[in-house]
Amino acid sequence: MSTKSTKRAGTPVGERWTEIASADLREAGYRSSKRRAAVIELLASQACVLSAAEMSELLRERGTPVGIATIYRTLELLAQRGLVHRLEMGTDPARFEAAMPTGENHHHHVVCNRCGEVTPFVDPDLERAIGKLEKRLDHSIGAHEVVLRGGCPDCMGAR
Amino acid sequence: MSTKSTKRAGTPVGERWTEIASADLREAGYRSSKRRAAVIELLASQACVLSAAEMSELLRERGTPVGIATIYRTLELLAQRGLVHRLEMGTDPARFEAAMPTGENHHHHVVCNRCGEVTPFVDPDLERAIGKLEKRLDHSIGAHEVVLRGGCPDCMGAR
DNA sequence: GTCGATGCAAAGAATTTGCAGGACC
DNA sequence: GGTCCTGCAAATTCTTTGCATCGAC
């Protein structure tokens, strides 16, 4: 009951997402390729957000170097199809993460003001409030983002 | 009862904020200057967020041209002191807005996916949910941002 | 074979920084 | 008068694009 629900977030979407994303692209008429598959697999294996540069680095380490332009192109493609979410982190490069089209891994983030660490969390009350809010606004709402900023446990005390 | 609470948001902070901001800088040892005052006054007069480029344009129109570098420097200064909030809007340039240090004009934004229009709103339930959430997380939370994305009334229907 | 996918290098944007001159206290 | 403030131009950083080539179907 006092279990932190942050535990539920931050889990890699894994193989299921890999398959969903691959199938989605295939059905939409895109070709499959080694590099694209490598990017998808990398995204699926990550518990947290990554910048394009970090992906480039990791892909090289994994033995499948992919040009940064291709990484950006792949991310844009996946983001358009709702399979990837792009998070803007202030002045820093954007970070990306896999998203289930069903919304089943839906979550938000806490960012440390000091070290920049990004921690995912889920909160049903928050989602409920946003759900009610959507009905009240004139806008139709397709997505929402919540970012909390503060000191992470390690940096706590400093500002 | 069915009054949209969006009405409460989107009001310029006005002269009071101008005074608070000016006093804050003065007390912190910064000098007052015509350009800086012009930026502060512009921010105080705006109901909505502005990019640095837009401010440059408006300041020129108002007869007090200010270099874009100075605008960025002033905004950074004010943001550090919590008098200005910086909003990242996807790939677009960041937008800035005046913020009362007391939090009394606290609000969030809905962004139209199509035309990019930014509309402020306030929602007590949402704030309540975030307040409870803060107590639960290991992080100390100093600020939070919520962005909803969807179609504004004018663009409704399109995606 | 055709057309999409890729890498490299160049282009673009947004924001920051160095530096010389002007303004404020 | 010393120091902060400014503008301009140059530098940075992130992201996108053009183009020739390679690979998938």
Side-chain angles (χ1 to χ4, degrees):
Chain A
M1 202 146 241
S2 63
T3 305
K4 283 179 213 151
S5 32
T6 50
K7 280 196 185 147
R8 282 177 49 208
T11 306
V13 284
E15 202 186 320
R16 246 184 80 229
W17 182 81
T18 303
E19 280 163 21
I20 290 172
S22 305
D24 180 289
L25 293 185
R26 194 178 338 107
E27 282 157 27
Y30 294 98
R31 292 178 184 173
S32 111
S33 81
K34 194 171 136 188
R35 321 298 165 84
R36 207 168 260 177
V39 173
I40 289 174
E41 203 172 295
L42 174 61
L43 283 165
S45 73
Q46 289 304 116
C48 52
V49 294
L50 288 179
S51 68
E54 288 165 342
M55 292 185 207
S56 172
E57 168 78 13
L58 287 168
L59 288 166
R60 197 173 334 106
E61 286 174 10
R62 289 184 173 200
T64 315
V66 179
I68 193 81
T70 297
I71 293 176
Y72 274 113
R73 281 189 277 233
T74 301
L75 290 170
E76 191 197 350
L77 191 54
L78 292 168
Q80 279 174 354
R81 326 204 102 247
L83 292 161
V84 153
H85 287 162
R86 175 188 187 131
L87 286 90
E88 296 290 334
M89 316 298 310
T91 305
D92 304 327
R95 307 275 189 53
F96 303 82
E97 67 183 355
M100 292 295 267
T102 56
E104 72 193 81
N105 73 326
H106 182 74
H107 61 268
H108 297 292
H109 303 89
V110 200
V111 182
C112 177
N113 284 335
R114 202 189 197 203
C115 67
E117 190 194 44
V118 177
T119 310
F121 71 84
V122 296
D123 189 71
D125 281 354
L126 179 60
E127 300 303 329
R128 215 169 292 132
I130 291 175
K132 290 203 302 189
L133 174 56
E134 291 180 1
K135 292 178 197 144
R136 211 193 70 204
L137 298 173
D138 290 334
H139 275 66
S140 68
I141 306 296
H144 63 263
E145 300 149 32
V146 177
V147 175
L148 309 185
R149 299 183 186 280
C152 73
D154 292 344
C155 298
M156 204 76 103
R159 60 125 31 178
Chain B
M1 204 147 236
S2 61
T3 304
K4 284 178 214 151
S5 30
T6 50
K7 281 199 183 143
R8 282 179 48 208
T11 306
V13 284
E15 201 185 322
R16 245 184 80 229
W17 181 82
T18 303
E19 279 163 21
I20 291 171
S22 305
D24 180 287
L25 293 186
R26 193 178 339 107
E27 282 157 27
Y30 294 97
R31 291 179 183 171
S32 112
S33 80
K34 194 171 136 190
R35 321 298 165 86
R36 206 169 259 177
V39 172
I40 289 175
E41 203 171 295
L42 174 61
L43 283 165
S45 73
Q46 288 305 117
C48 51
V49 294
L50 289 179
S51 67
E54 288 165 343
M55 292 185 207
S56 172
E57 168 79 13
L58 287 168
L59 288 165
R60 197 173 334 105
E61 287 174 9
R62 290 183 174 201
T64 317
V66 179
I68 193 82
T70 297
I71 293 176
Y72 274 113
R73 281 188 277 234
T74 302
L75 290 171
E76 191 197 350
L77 190 55
L78 292 168
Q80 279 175 354
R81 325 204 105 246
L83 291 162
V84 153
H85 287 161
R86 175 187 187 132
L87 285 90
E88 295 291 331
M89 316 298 310
T91 305
D92 304 327
R95 306 277 190 52
F96 303 83
E97 66 183 356
M100 293 294 268
T102 56
E104 73 194 81
N105 73 327
H106 181 73
H107 61 269
H108 297 291
H109 302 89
V110 200
V111 182
C112 178
N113 285 334
R114 207 197 196 194
C115 68
E117 190 195 45
V118 177
T119 310
F121 70 84
V122 296
D123 189 70
D125 281 354
L126 179 60
E127 300 304 329
R128 215 168 291 130
I130 291 174
K132 289 203 302 191
L133 174 56
E134 291 179 2
K135 292 178 196 143
R136 212 194 70 205
L137 298 173
D138 290 335
H139 275 67
S140 68
I141 304 297
H144 63 262
E145 300 150 32
V146 177
V147 176
L148 309 185
R149 298 182 187 279
C152 73
D154 291 344
C155 298
M156 204 76 101
R159 59 126 30 179

